[in-house]
Amino acid sequence: MITHSLHRKDFRKLIVNPKGFSSVIGTTFMVLVMLVLATSIFLWTLSKNTEYFQAMKEKNQLEMDRLNERLSTENVNYTVSGDVVSVEVNLKNEGSLPVHLTTLWVLDTTIRKYGFNDTLNINLKPGEILTIKGTEAIKVFIEGANNTHIFSSWFITARGNAVPLEKESGIIVAQVSAGIGAIAMNFNKFKYYNVSKVGSSYILNNYPQGGIGYVITQPASGGIAFEVSLINFDPGKRTITLYSSSVLFTVFPVLPQQPRGSMWYIVNVNTNGVISNTYTPIQLAYGVETSVFFASAVELKEGNVFSPAKAEYTGTAPVNIALVGKIGNDYYGQNIPFTSVYIKNP
């Protein structure tokens, strides 16, 4: 009872004393405020952590999507009109995600100037193939650009990837170098024909099929003609013009230290296989595979007319094609070796 009475007396004293009561209320309010602040800070921190982890998740997903873009390009072609470069290309989306192309950058490496087109809105679904050519070619302005210049280019995707436009899939590196020349020969299309006279014209027998050029049966009369398939890979994209002095020749080791040669000068052949009596210079456009024929015993110039040529010898002989002419506005010459023939009698 004494203890209870003491507590009642202390409580009455606390109520009677305003300073003591206000201290209790203040302390309680402060505790409540601290609890509210701590709770608010905890909730704010929790929300920020949630936002951070969500942002990181989205960023990681974007990065994964960017890394999984797979766009391939081929058959790239550049043409210039004025200062406008038109870019043609075949596209294929080889990935599992759609690709959105927004910008094409083009570098004229000859004059070291850039241009870009940032108005693109090209979308490719997974597996989709798109050919951009002709009137749909992408146009980029580069002051001073020229058809003879060398270009490189690349797309920018909406995810930030740069997609370089591949040109010849390495064929230029494989077939043409400074030590070989601008012209390459397709060795799978090396043909020969027997030449016959029909009326006043000379024709290629079995044209255009011909026979495989590596083993030749020499006719008893008439002549032999060779067809070679040439491709102009000049890095400057200049047209190559072949003069009448271009010739295909062989050297037969008939006897020791007594080689014998045979020559076939360049000729024109029409779509019916008829050989022209005169010669009009043949032009090799950049990147275009062109059939060129060698059949004449004499160079077709200064009034000379076509005369059929044949080997006169049999056996194995190396073949060389000596090409003379112009590349663009400059004189040009190139020898194409690396093949041989075996000639036999009927």
Side-chain angles (χ1 to χ4, degrees):
M1 294 294 296
I2 295 174
T3 302
H4 183 67
S5 298
L6 289 174
H7 285 165
R8 291 180 62 187
K9 289 179 181 180
D10 291 339
F11 183 70
R12 281 198 298 269
K13 288 180 181 180
L14 182 62
I15 294 175
V16 173
N17 186 353
K19 291 184 179 180
F21 187 74
S22 62
S23 297
V24 173
I25 297 299
T27 302
T28 304
F29 182 74
M30 184 179 296
V31 171
L32 292 175
V33 169
M34 293 296 293
L35 289 173
V36 170
L37 288 176
T39 302
S40 300
I41 292 172
F42 173 76
L43 294 175
W44 179 83
T45 303
L46 184 61
S47 66
K48 290 302 177 182
N49 284 338
T50 302
E51 291 177 6
Y52 171 77
F53 286 119
Q54 182 63 30
M56 289 298 298
K57 180 180 178 181
E58 293 175 358
K59 181 179 182 299
N60 290 338
Q61 184 61 50
L62 290 173
E63 183 66 15
M64 288 295 298
D65 290 345
R66 187 182 70 81
L67 294 174
N68 285 326
E69 279 189 334
R70 295 288 185 273
L71 185 68
S72 64
T73 65
E74 61 180 11
N75 297 331
V76 183
N77 185 53
Y78 303 97
T79 56
V80 182
S81 177
D83 291 329
V84 177
V85 182
S86 297
V87 182
E88 298 178 328
V89 61
N90 293 343
L91 303 173
K92 182 178 181 181
N93 184 357
E94 298 181 342
S96 58
L97 298 172
V99 176
H100 180 203
L101 301 178
T102 61
T103 305
L104 175 67
W105 283 86
V106 178
L107 169 64
D108 187 331
T109 59
T110 304
I111 59 176
R112 305 303 299 175
K113 287 187 176 181
Y114 289 90
F116 66 91
N117 185 333
D118 61 354
T119 64
L120 306 184
N121 186 25
I122 301 173
N123 293 281
L124 288 93
K125 299 176 182 177
E128 184 177 357
I129 298 175
L130 177 64
T131 298
I132 301 174
K133 64 185 302 183
T135 58
E136 297 179 352
I138 303 171
K139 302 185 184 305
V140 176
F141 178 84
I142 302 178
E143 185 177 359
N146 188 283
N147 263 322
T148 62
H149 293 180
I150 301 173
F151 299 91
S152 62
S153 56
W154 57 95
F155 284 112
I156 301 297
T157 73
R159 295 186 178 95
N161 279 322
V163 182
L165 275 63
E166 302 295 337
K167 189 148 184 62
E168 252 68 58
S169 299
I171 194 167
I172 289 180
V173 175
Q175 295 186 338
V176 179
S177 70
I180 297 176
I183 301 174
M185 173 181 169
N186 186 339
F187 292 92
N188 293 320
K189 295 184 179 180
F190 182 44
K191 300 179 183 179
Y192 90 97
Y193 302 87
N194 289 335
V195 177
S196 298
K197 189 173 185 179
V198 178
S200 60
S201 300
Y202 286 95
I203 65 169
L204 304 179
N205 297 343
N206 193 31
Y207 178 82
Q209 289 79 13
I212 298 174
Y214 299 103
V215 178
I216 300 164
T217 300
Q218 185 158 235
S221 62
I224 297 172
F226 291 95
E227 178 184 353
V228 296
S229 187
L230 303 178
I231 310 173
N232 172 7
F233 283 126
D234 172 41
K237 299 183 180 179
R238 295 167 292 180
T239 297
I240 297 175
T241 303
L242 300 179
Y243 288 172
S244 60
S245 49
S246 298
V247 62
L248 181 150
F249 65 94
T250 61
V251 178
F252 292 87
V254 178
L255 295 172
Q257 299 180 356
Q258 291 184 330
R260 298 289 186 268
S262 298
M263 296 191 299
W264 291 261
Y265 283 94
I266 194 169
V267 297
N268 301 120
V269 176
N270 70 18
T271 55
N272 294 321
V274 177
I275 302 171
S276 175
N277 272 326
T278 58
Y279 177 72
T280 301
I282 294 171
Q283 293 189 329
L284 306 178
Y286 172 77
V288 178
E289 191 167 353
T290 304
S291 292
V292 178
F293 297 86
F294 297 86
S296 180
V298 296
E299 181 182 350
L300 300 182
K301 70 172 187 176
E302 299 175 352
N304 290 339
V305 296
F306 174 76
S307 176
K310 61 181 182 179
E312 302 293 351
Y313 306 99
T314 59
T316 302
V319 174
N320 288 266
I321 305 172
L323 302 173
V324 179
K326 277 195 169 184
I327 183 167
N329 296 320
D330 302 322
Y331 287 111
Y332 183 75
Q334 181 180 340
N335 179 56
I336 301 178
F338 311 127
T339 189
S340 61
V341 295
Y342 180 81
I343 297 181
K344 60 183 180 179
N345 289 321

